Amino acid sequence: MPELPDVESFTRYFERTSLNQEIEEVVGETKSLVKGTSFKKFRKKLIGKEFTEARRRGKFLIAEVSETEEKVVFHFGMTGSLSYSRQRGSKFGRDEYAQITFEFKQGYELRWINIRKLGKIYFVKKPERIDLIKEMGPEPLSLSEDSFLGLLEEHERKNVKTFLMDQRDIAGIGNIYSDEILFQAEIDPHKDIKELDEEKRKELYQKMKNVLIEASNLSHPGAKFPNSWLSAHREEMECPNYKTHKLTKEKIGGRTARFCAKCQE
C-alpha cells in the first residue's frame, strides 16, 4: 500500500505535471470509485476547470480545483499510483489499470491507476470530513520532538510497531516504513513503548523523520531503496548490516513484519 513517502512523491509528481491545465474531458473506466457525487456530476464540474494546487494529508492527495469549492481527493488503496502521458496514447503495464483519466486541453492526460480497485476518489468541499481523514492523527513530519515524545507517553502500553502503523495515532506510516524506522532505530518490533527509555524514544523520533524525508525525496515513485536499508532486502530476507544475519518474518499487529532479530533488540 502506498504510504506517506509514496503519496508525497505522487503529490510532487502531480504538481509538476498536472497543475494549471484546462481539463477537457474526464473518462471513467470504473465510475463507482468516485465518491461524494455521481460520476456524471463529477465530470461536468471538472470540464473547463484546472487543478490549482495539491497537498498531502496522511496517505491522501488533496487537489484544489479552480472556480469550485469542491476538492478532488485521491486515495490510492493497495495498488494506486499516477501516470502522466500523451492523451489517449497506448497503455502498457500498470497504465492498463487506469480507472479515472483526466484529459487536458494541451494534449496530455493524468491517469489514476488502481489495479485492485480498492482506492477511491472523493469530490467534497471539506476533505477533513472524510471518515479516514477525520480520525487521522498528526503528520509525523510536522511533529516536534516534544510532541512526539508526548504521543509515546500517551500510548505507552501500545506495541511500538502497532503505534507507528495506526493512522489514528500518527498519519501516513504503514507496514514497510514502520519496519524500516524500527530497523534503523535498532528497536525490536515486539516491544511495547513503555519498554523504551527516553534516549531510545528520541532516536525513534529522529529515525522516523530521516526515513520519511529520505524516502520522500527518492527521484520518482517506485525508485529503489538505498542498499543500506532493510526495505531493499525484503525479498531476499538478508540483513543489510550483516549478510550472515537472516531477516525474520512474522505477524505483529496484524501485519507481516520483517526485522533482524540480532540487530534489533
Side-chain angles (χ1 to χ4, degrees):
M1 175 183 285
E3 300 180 31
L4 184 158
D6 309 298
V7 180
E8 184 67 28
S9 182
F10 297 162
T11 304
R12 295 174 189 179
Y13 181 80
F14 185 94
E15 289 175 324
R16 290 196 308 271
T17 61
S18 303
L19 294 186
N20 306 313
Q21 299 187 59
E22 184 178 337
I23 300 169
E24 189 174 51
E25 184 58 274
V26 182
V27 179
E29 294 297 328
T30 310
K31 298 178 176 66
S32 62
L33 295 180
V34 173
K35 305 297 179 182
T37 189
S38 67
F39 180 81
K40 183 178 179 180
K41 290 179 180 177
F42 178 70
R43 173 183 173 273
K44 185 177 179 180
K45 272 265 194 175
L46 288 178
I47 289 176
K49 307 296 197 310
E50 300 176 358
F51 295 121
T52 57
E53 62 179 274
R55 66 185 186 277
R56 181 195 54 75
R57 176 69 171 112
K59 300 177 184 180
F60 290 80
L61 189 168
I62 302 171
E64 301 280 343
V65 180
S66 63
E67 302 174 45
T68 182
E69 293 182 75
E70 284 92 353
K71 284 81 173 163
V72 177
V73 182
F74 298 85
H75 184 248
F76 296 93
M78 295 291 291
T79 54
S81 61
L82 298 173
S83 177
Y84 183 75
S85 182
R86 284 196 176 276
Q87 198 173 108
R88 305 187 187 183
S90 299
K91 294 181 179 179
F92 301 101
R94 292 177 63 85
D95 280 36
E96 294 179 22
Y97 299 93
Q99 307 300 341
I100 306 292
T101 300
F102 304 89
E103 297 181 356
F104 300 116
K105 195 171 184 178
Q106 44 65 283
Y108 283 77
E109 63 187 27
L110 179 72
R111 300 165 180 171
W112 177 65
I113 296 163
N114 218 279
I115 297 172
R116 294 174 60 186
K117 301 182 184 179
L118 297 174
K120 304 283 187 298
I121 289 181
Y122 299 86
F123 193 58
V124 293
K125 291 182 180 179
K126 296 187 176 182
E128 64 274 14
R129 291 185 179 175
I130 296 170
D131 285 344
L132 290 173
I133 295 179
K134 181 168 59 179
E135 298 173 359
M136 199 174 284
E139 289 287 329
L141 293 178
S142 303
L143 278 173
S144 67
E145 183 179 79
D146 285 345
S147 296
F148 182 75
L149 294 177
L151 277 178
L152 292 180
E153 187 173 354
E154 184 180 340
H155 297 284
E156 274 197 327
R157 294 184 178 278
K158 204 163 191 174
N159 169 268
V160 64
K161 179 174 170 64
T162 302
F163 165 80
L164 289 173
M165 292 192 299
D166 193 330
Q167 302 304 293
R168 296 167 298 181
D169 296 336
I170 193 165
I173 303 172
N175 195 37
I176 289 175
Y177 289 103
S178 61
D179 281 349
E180 188 63 51
I181 291 163
L182 293 172
F183 174 75
Q184 294 197 24
E186 299 181 347
I187 295 173
D188 184 338
H190 294 97
K191 284 190 173 180
D192 291 340
I193 293 169
K194 64 184 178 182
E195 298 177 71
L196 306 179
D197 61 23
E198 185 176 1
E199 182 180 351
K200 209 62 179 174
R201 294 183 188 200
K202 288 182 177 181
E203 185 177 3
L204 177 62
Y205 170 75
Q206 197 57 57
K207 295 300 183 183
M208 177 188 72
K209 300 276 273 199
N210 291 349
V211 165
L212 296 178
I213 289 170
E214 189 170 349
S216 296
N217 288 334
L218 291 173
S219 58
H220 58 84
K224 290 185 178 180
F225 292 106
N227 196 51
S228 61
W229 284 27
L230 178 144
S231 301
H233 303 273
R234 291 177 69 85
E235 297 306 316
E236 68 265 33
M237 295 292 290
E238 185 179 273
C239 175
N241 292 339
Y242 302 96
K243 291 186 177 181
T244 56
H245 295 179
K246 294 300 178 183
L247 300 181
T248 299
K249 181 169 71 172
E250 64 179 80
K251 289 274 188 182
I252 299 175
R255 301 296 299 276
T256 302
R258 288 170 171 82
F259 59 98
C260 178
K262 294 184 179 179
C263 293
Q264 296 171 247
E265 299 179 348

